Every structure is written in structure tokens, then in C-alpha cells.
Amino acid sequence: LSTAGGAGSSLSLTARNNEFNTTQAGATGLRLAWNGSLSGTLDSNYFQGTGGGSTGFSYMNTGTAPSNLALTNNEFVLLGGNGTGAYLNTAASTQVSAIGNTFALTGSGGAGLRATAVAPAFTLTSNVIKDNTGGVTGFLFDSLTGPGTMTFNNKIGRAHV
């Protein structure tokens, strides 16, 4: 979805066992722009972007309704530089559980998960960040407006020596 829903609307999103492949620079495998409450699950999906600046999953909520998103057991493979596995940008209360995902970035300058959020509750557990070139950021938070909570328990490593 690339057009935000009406204010006060709600959406339940489930994406499970899908494969998203993009080849163009700046392309996004799955993009959702929303203006209402969201309850979403992305589970066991494969995202691959071969062009520079690719994004596996992008979610933006400009409304005042809360977002609840679970990213579990997904694989994000970004082969060009400046790629982002998952990008989240919300203007209201945001709860995100990212558990058991793999973010493999081949080009430099990318990020596994990148977020801007209000009143965030992030649980990032058992994720693997593979930096195959150097210069990759595992989790990048451009802006967080509190109060909020953050829980981390992940493996971040550089595969290229």
C-alpha cells in the first residue's frame, strides 16, 4: 500500500512465507504507508535487493493511532550500497518486536533496521547482522521521542576481514 488510509482507520497486516526481489536502485520490496492503527506481522519472508539504496520493508504511519509490528524470522539480503533491511517511521506510539531476523548487507553505508518513532517500545532479540563490506550499522535510530523502552539481545558481526 502506498496511499495512507483515512484517519481513524485500522489495518491488520500479515505477510508470511513470501519472497520479495527487487533489482532497481532505490526499490522497496514491501512498502506500507498508513494513517490509522496497525497490527502487523511479517514472518518468514525473504527480501532481496540488488540495486543500491534498496529497502526490504518500509512502514510509515503519519497518524496519531498506535502501531504494533512483529518482524520475525525474515531474511533481508541487500547487495548494493546504502541498503536498509527494514525502515520504520511513525508519528504515534510504536511497539516493534524484531526477533530472529537476518540482515545481510553487502554494500557499505547500509542499516539492518532503521527507525524514527514516538513513544517506542522496541524489542530486538536474536537478530543477526552480517556486514560483508564494512561501514554497515546494525540498528539506526534517527529520532526517538519518549518515553520509551528499548531491549537488545543480538549478534552483530563483520563477515569481511
Side-chain angles (χ1 to χ4, degrees):
L1 296 170
S2 61
T3 303
S9 58
S10 63
L11 177 67
S12 177
L13 169 72
T14 301
R16 184 170 285 125
N17 298 317
N18 296 290
E19 186 171 314
F20 300 90
N21 291 292
T22 61
T23 58
Q24 299 293 320
T28 300
L30 177 60
R31 177 177 300 165
L32 174 62
W34 195 244
N35 188 15
S37 65
L38 171 77
S39 177
T41 300
L42 275 71
D43 178 56
S44 301
N45 298 290
Y46 178 81
F47 297 87
Q48 179 175 299
T50 57
S54 294
T55 301
F57 170 68
S58 174
Y59 171 63
M60 182 172 64
N61 188 337
T62 58
T64 58
S67 298
N68 186 340
L69 187 61
L71 304 171
T72 56
N73 306 309
N74 298 291
E75 185 173 0
F76 299 87
V77 178
L78 302 165
L79 303 174
N82 299 309
T84 302
Y87 175 72
L88 312 171
N89 187 338
T90 64
S93 173
T94 306
Q95 183 173 349
V96 176
S97 296
I99 301 170
N101 300 290
T102 298
F103 301 92
L105 297 106
T106 298
S108 65
L113 183 141
R114 183 173 185 174
T116 295
V118 173
F122 278 84
T123 300
L124 307 171
T125 304
S126 300
N127 297 292
V128 176
I129 309 294
K130 296 180 181 179
D131 179 354
N132 295 321
T133 304
V136 167
T137 302
F139 303 107
L140 174 60
F141 299 96
D142 295 306
S143 175
L144 299 175
T145 304
T149 60
M150 308 290 281
T151 303
F152 296 90
N153 183 12
N154 302 280
K155 182 177 181 179
I156 300 174
R158 183 169 181 213
H160 183 298
V161 179

